[in-house]
Amino acid sequence: MNEYAILSIHGSIILIGVILMTPFGDAIGGFLVNKWPSTATNRGRMLAGLMLVCTGGFTVSAHTLWMHNKLSEGGSVCSGSEILNCDGLIGNPDYNTVPFLNQPWGLLGMVAFCVLLWLAVTIAKEPLALSTPTFLKAGLGATIAGLPVIALLVSYEIKEGLICPFCTTAHIANVIAMVAFFLLLKMYESDEWAPELKKSRK
Amino acid sequence: MMDNLYRSEEASARGEAAIIVISLFFAGLLVVAFTSNPISTGTQPGERAPLFSGKAYDGNGWQTFVFDDLLTPEWSPNSTGDAPWIAIEFMDTDCGHCKTAAEKVGNWAQQYSSTVWDGPEVIFIAVAVEFVADSSRSEIQTFRDSNEHTFPYVDDLDREVVDKWQVGGTPAYFLVQPDGIVAWNSAQTVNSIGWDANAEEVFALSDYTGDQYIELNEAIEQLTKKYGGETQ
């Protein structure tokens, strides 16, 4: 299968997540509410969207790890264009591992998105738990900590004059997750987080 | 923590979420592990040789040299083409052993690239480093010309390549398969270990001269002719 067809699958997971988080998510939530009642609320849709974004980030990171391995075997996985070219970056031993840890960037991405997904799933399961604000802040902090890493990887792309579409998709997923954690934290601080409690207080 | 898990519903949510996420993580790892067979970059037999580029003296001047250009990534043990193997010597113009070895290395370079040799072509490269004393490009030129070598000498006076290739002393020799996998390394702990690309495992090379040390020519003769169809 063409690498961009596979990339579009990762992208679609992230895109559906983003749509769920936007006002358009209201309409989609209507279809999902029977299966997942939590999507009836803004909070539920935001969390569902965040989970999808983290899942998309995880799958695209796993794909870059697979590419890393395939390139080490001597193959070519994504070198169709002069600029959109993963081989020159994921296959470049000078750039393709995490400094000090010496592990592929894809593996770091898988771990990072799993941690974010764990935070999102835990919050979704117990939104009124005492630990929720801590988890929201942890998610926001972790995604902000990802920004310098993204900057480093983008600097490699600039240095080599190449763009790795798979890596870029993972970077975008991190930025979307950061925005989602920020909006959820804002929502938590407002009455919108648990409108049912607000009603019962009245 | 176990106590928390029993008493707290929040801990239960965290535990359930962790089970879901850890399952996803390992499922991802398993898919990657079963569909790929990664080869690490390094200089031991079976590893992918580190790539390098720089300026090389070829007798006419200092030209751009790119190691990747010599490789034939599509090569396999059953290939029938004329993909060349690569022999690399790390040397220092001030190293006594390198000076002594210069004549035989020159002879090997001619022998294994000529049509007289019934095995696949072997391209020779020297990487000139600075271990012993101050060296310079003019010293490299003089060394190459005085030994009448015909292969390029790559300038590694800043020791960038030698560090990547983890060479601790000169001379050090490597034989690299056409696809870029290290087949033999003279400086490895057991000098007689070669890489079998068919079996994908190391094996012991024969010591023709009985001196308990495998020379580059012995490695070339045993490794390059091991695979079908790779003859000139």
Side-chain angles (χ1 to χ4, degrees):
Chain A
M1 196 191 285
N2 180 290
E3 64 266 19
Y4 290 109
I6 301 171
L7 180 61
S8 67
I9 296 172
H10 303 301
S12 303
I13 298 170
I14 296 169
L15 188 63
I16 294 168
V18 172
I19 293 171
L20 264 177
M21 286 190 248
T22 62
F24 299 109
D26 252 348
I28 300 176
F31 293 107
L32 301 174
V33 75
N34 288 334
K35 179 95 174 143
W36 292 287
S38 66
T39 53
T41 64
N42 265 347
R43 181 195 70 217
R45 282 193 298 276
M46 278 291 279
L47 284 165
L50 176 59
M51 283 189 260
L52 282 174
V53 169
C54 292
T55 305
F58 171 81
T59 58
V60 80
S61 298
H63 199 143
T64 63
L65 177 64
W66 178 84
M67 287 175 156
H68 178 107
N69 291 354
K70 278 289 169 193
L71 288 166
S72 78
E73 291 173 34
S76 169
V77 289
C78 162
S79 58
S81 156
E82 292 272 305
I83 296 171
L84 296 176
N85 183 319
C86 309
D87 291 11
L89 292 160
I90 300 176
N92 189 330
D94 291 338
Y95 305 128
N96 66 2
T97 52
V98 183
F100 308 114
L101 297 176
N102 226 12
Q103 295 300 318
W105 284 108
L107 187 61
L108 181 76
M110 285 172 74
V111 172
F113 281 109
C114 271
V115 171
L116 296 178
L117 190 59
W118 175 67
L119 294 172
V121 174
T122 305
I123 295 166
K125 279 185 173 292
E126 286 289 341
L128 303 178
L130 291 173
S131 57
T132 297
T134 311
F135 274 45
L136 288 171
K137 284 173 191 163
L140 184 60
T143 48
I144 289 173
L147 295 182
V149 176
I150 293 171
L152 175 69
L153 293 172
V154 170
S155 77
Y156 294 158
E157 292 186 322
I158 293 167
K159 210 186 268 182
E160 290 296 307
L162 300 170
I163 295 171
C164 165
F166 286 80
C167 317
T168 304
T169 305
H171 303 166
I172 291 170
N174 181 81
V175 173
I176 295 169
M178 182 184 71
V179 173
F181 273 112
F182 176 76
L183 293 176
L184 283 165
L185 192 60
K186 284 273 165 212
M187 192 186 282
Y188 184 82
E189 289 162 0
S190 71
D191 286 334
E192 211 189 336
W193 183 261
E196 63 275 18
L197 287 184
K198 189 176 142 195
K199 273 182 209 157
S200 66
R201 258 187 256 139
K202 282 178 185 169
Chain B
M1 186 188 166
M2 285 306 289
D3 196 36
N4 275 346
L5 281 171
Y6 287 127
R7 289 186 193 172
S8 163
E9 284 184 15
E10 292 177 26
S12 160
R14 286 199 289 268
E16 280 176 31
I19 290 167
I20 294 168
V21 170
I22 290 170
S23 307
L24 180 70
F25 181 76
F26 281 105
L29 272 190
L30 283 175
V31 170
V32 172
F34 282 117
T35 54
S36 61
N37 182 21
I39 300 168
S40 58
T41 300
T43 53
Q44 295 305 305
E47 293 184 321
R48 184 163 295 286
L51 302 178
F52 63 94
S53 58
K55 291 287 180 186
Y57 178 64
D58 64 358
N60 296 315
W62 290 90
Q63 318 290 347
T64 300
F65 174 89
V66 182
F67 179 66
D68 325 18
D69 291 348
L70 304 177
L71 302 179
T72 312
E74 63 275 14
W75 180 87
S76 79
N78 301 316
S79 297
T80 52
D82 289 330
W85 288 58
I86 303 139
I88 302 174
E89 179 197 19
F90 283 84
M91 51 75 64
D92 184 330
T93 52
D94 296 308
C95 139
H97 292 296
C98 304
K99 290 175 187 169
T100 311
E103 188 184 344
K104 67 180 178 188
V105 174
N107 291 338
W108 292 337
Q110 289 194 345
Q111 181 185 341
Y112 297 118
S113 62
S114 73
T115 48
V116 180
W117 161 243
D118 62 353
E121 181 190 1
V122 181
I123 296 173
F124 274 66
I125 303 158
V127 178
V129 301
E130 188 181 271
F131 273 147
V132 182
D134 282 352
S135 187
S136 63
R137 281 194 174 182
S138 62
E139 259 188 49
I140 297 169
Q141 288 176 224
T142 309
F143 189 95
R144 181 188 182 278
D145 294 342
S146 62
N147 286 294
E148 297 177 355
H149 285 169
T150 51
F151 48 89
Y153 271 61
V154 178
D155 172 359
D156 189 40
L157 298 177
D158 61 3
R159 292 168 59 166
E160 191 183 322
V161 182
V162 84
D163 287 344
K164 266 188 183 177
W165 282 65
Q166 298 163 349
V167 173
T170 53
Y173 304 96
F174 294 87
L175 183 62
V176 178
Q177 286 176 188
D179 59 352
I181 301 295
V182 176
W184 176 77
N185 169 352
S186 72
Q188 61 192 317
T189 314
V190 181
N191 161 272
S192 60
I193 295 295
W195 180 250
D196 183 335
N198 269 323
E200 294 195 341
E201 60 186 22
V202 291
F203 72 104
L205 297 172
S206 304
D207 180 10
Y208 292 164
T209 51
D211 60 358
Q212 311 294 314
Y213 183 82
I214 300 293
E215 292 264 20
L216 175 62
N217 62 325
E218 292 173 274
I220 290 174
E221 296 196 8
Q222 292 178 67
L223 286 163
T224 62
K225 292 167 81 174
K226 199 170 166 54
Y227 308 106
E230 277 299 307
T231 54
Q232 285 190 317

